[in-house]
Amino acid sequence: MVTSLKRKDTAIRLSKWIDQEIEGYISDRKTRVEFPSKRNLVDKAVMQFLEERGVKING
């Protein structure tokens, strides 16, 4: 039986230079503990940005 599984996340495009800067930043071992992936860093940064502007995050 073949079923269709829908992902709950969404892919977005980043500028190549931002992607490279993030990769360089999280390549440090100490930083990698707090941000284990580029996705994790971007999610946390965007959530903080939105919360600072009064957006209620339900996640």
Side-chain angles (χ1 to χ4, degrees):
M1 173 195 255
V2 177
T3 59
S4 174
L5 299 175
K6 291 189 176 186
R7 293 179 61 141
K8 294 182 181 183
D9 60 346
T10 302
I12 61 167
R13 289 186 173 271
L14 292 174
S15 297
K16 190 170 190 160
W17 69 270
I18 293 174
D19 184 56
Q20 292 170 345
E21 291 298 323
I22 292 170
E23 187 64 44
Y25 179 73
I26 66 172
S27 66
D28 179 77
R29 281 185 168 180
K30 291 180 182 178
T31 307
R32 182 68 75 171
V33 171
E34 186 176 0
F35 302 109
S37 68
K38 287 187 264 187
R39 176 182 170 178
N40 181 269
L41 183 140
V42 171
D43 284 353
K44 287 183 178 182
V46 171
M47 284 176 34
Q48 181 180 351
F49 172 83
L50 293 173
E51 287 174 344
E52 288 173 357
R53 282 155 178 80
V55 176
K56 300 290 182 188
I57 304 296
N58 298 326

